[in-house]
Amino acid sequence: MLVEPRSGVLAAWGNALLAGLVSPDEAALAVVGEDAVHRVEGLPGEAGPVGLTLALGRLRSLGVSGFRVALPVPGHPLGLSGPPGFNARALEAEEAVVGHGAPYGLVPEVREAGPAGDVHVDVVWHCLAVREAPPADVPSLGEAERELAEALRDATAVLTRLDVAGSGPVAEAAVDAYRARAERGREVLAPGYPPRAVRVLELAQRVGLLVSVAYENGHGGAVSASEMAARVEALRPVERVARRAQVAAYNAYVEELAR
């Protein structure tokens, strides 16, 4: 969770564009980031893939007034509203953007090419029909903030009990990465988002960091298979809370719009 999902970045900057706070070129540049190129395939009225700038303008002309994010995983269709075909594609990618105001969604397909050391990333966003319905299991910002405070305590307690909390080079590197990312947190959400959404996203990143440390920092005190399984089981609900909060932060623009 230290690296923000492409769907979150597209939704955030797409919302800023729809609000008139950034230009189409600014939005497209922010979404592409360090990737080589992003294209959108399957847009109504287009015979083939088109660039992000044109695609965002076309979606606006089709009636899209905002973008939500979905971050589904098996057993948890977080942010999805159907139909099954779109849900299946989103679940395979573990992320998607869902339009508000018109029934269109985008699912990324990431393609890597080039020799080792010079790999470039192309992203094709597949435009598909979505069902206009409330997204699954997305909390309000207030709910997400309260859940995160509890999850942070739970994650810290689990890490301490399992002896995988904050020591060693892997944990230190993860903390450094989080701190660097937090400095840029306000840019991630793009202009137009409320301060509470930024705060919730930053806290979700922090909880996600602790989960990542637990999974990546060796086995710590969990020396048996049963103890390792217990660690995963203990951290799964914490990770779920962090993903729910992340989606709530990205979706804050549309929730304000809907009110």
Side-chain angles (χ1 to χ4, degrees):
M1 196 173 293
L2 296 180
V3 177
E4 294 306 307
R6 289 180 174 87
S7 293
V9 180
L10 190 152
W13 287 90
N15 285 331
L17 171 63
L18 293 172
L21 298 173
V22 299
S23 70
D25 287 342
E26 285 177 307
L29 187 63
V31 174
V32 171
E34 297 181 359
D35 296 336
V37 66
H38 284 217
R39 296 184 180 88
V40 179
E41 186 175 84
L43 272 172
E46 296 293 338
V50 300
L52 266 181
T53 302
L54 190 155
L56 290 170
R58 177 60 54 81
L59 287 168
R60 176 165 53 186
S61 71
L62 289 168
V64 173
S65 57
F67 295 102
R68 288 187 172 106
V69 173
L71 297 179
V73 295
H76 189 201
L78 177 61
L80 295 176
S81 57
F86 180 82
N87 287 2
R89 292 289 291 266
L91 183 58
E92 183 179 358
E94 296 190 351
E95 60 175 304
V97 174
V98 180
H100 172 74
Y104 301 102
L106 301 170
V107 179
E109 178 185 352
V110 180
R111 302 169 179 172
E112 295 184 352
D118 190 27
V119 175
H120 65 271
V121 176
D122 295 345
V123 179
V124 175
W125 295 88
H126 297 277
C127 183
L128 304 165
V130 297
R131 180 181 298 139
E132 295 186 90
D137 199 37
V138 179
S140 68
L141 280 177
E143 291 169 336
E145 197 165 26
R146 289 191 295 272
E147 290 176 1
L148 279 170
E150 297 176 5
L152 188 58
R153 291 194 297 269
D154 292 345
T156 302
V158 170
L159 291 171
T160 301
R161 176 167 55 83
L162 297 175
D163 192 26
V164 292
S167 62
V170 175
E172 290 171 6
V175 170
D176 288 342
Y178 166 72
R179 286 172 178 163
R181 187 62 175 166
E183 290 299 315
R184 302 195 299 274
R186 294 185 184 277
E187 298 175 1
V188 170
L189 274 178
Y193 274 83
R196 191 175 201 178
V198 177
R199 187 167 67 246
V200 166
L201 181 59
E202 289 174 344
L203 188 53
Q205 290 171 334
R206 185 178 178 191
V207 172
L209 165 72
L210 292 177
V211 172
S212 296
V213 169
Y215 285 144
E216 297 170 7
N217 196 26
H219 297 318
V223 295
S224 70
S226 62
E227 286 171 330
M228 285 184 277
R231 177 177 63 179
V232 172
E233 190 64 26
L235 288 171
R236 185 176 290 120
V238 177
E239 188 175 24
R240 183 186 181 104
V241 165
R243 285 191 304 106
R244 274 167 44 87
Q246 192 176 27
V247 171
Y250 283 123
N251 291 7
Y253 174 87
V254 171
E255 299 314 315
E256 287 291 328
L257 194 66
R259 282 197 291 269

